Amino acid sequence: MRIGILGPLQVRDTAGRPVEVGGRRLRALLVRLAIDAGRPVSAARLLDDLWDGDPPGGNALQALVSRLRGAAGRDVVEHGPGGYRLGVDPGEVDAVQFERAVAAARRGGDPARRATTCAAPSTCGA
């Protein structure tokens, strides 16, 4: 699965087909998890972020996670002791690819080489 959060949200399955993630809050959950790709995000943090500091009672977060799993696949969200985590390799998130490309370009030394590194579609997630 590939997730694009730089610009409009784009989700593609492993075959490259678009995956529809409907609903503002559902998309917000996916983007929030993608921002911390590879790291768990606590339920308290998600509740605060997704409901602007005024989370509903009950199991609203669990219901939202269930809906996201239904839309994007069972393995898209993992749950563990630290909270919820995007169940996708961090390198499949365009923002992570971009951060890695920028870091590699900074190590490049020569400005022309650095520009080439950042302009390459394979390193910048295009």
Side-chain angles (χ1 to χ4, degrees), residues 36-118:
D36 279 310
R39 296 182 303 266
V41 181
S42 72
R45 174 86 268 156
L46 289 172
L47 285 166
D48 191 48
D49 290 348
L50 296 173
W51 280 275
D52 297 323
D54 188 24
N59 62 352
L61 179 59
Q62 292 86 351
L64 198 61
V65 167
S66 180
R67 286 182 45 218
L68 181 56
R69 287 175 173 155
R74 185 88 194 125
D75 298 330
V76 74
V77 180
E78 299 173 347
H79 184 259
Y84 292 93
R85 186 177 84 81
L86 189 64
V88 174
D89 181 276
E92 297 298 316
V93 176
D94 66 351
V96 173
Q97 292 174 343
F98 180 74
E99 288 173 351
R100 289 175 179 173
V102 169
R106 285 186 176 141
R107 293 188 300 269
D110 171 40
R113 182 174 176 205
R114 289 161 59 175
T116 301
T117 299
C118 243

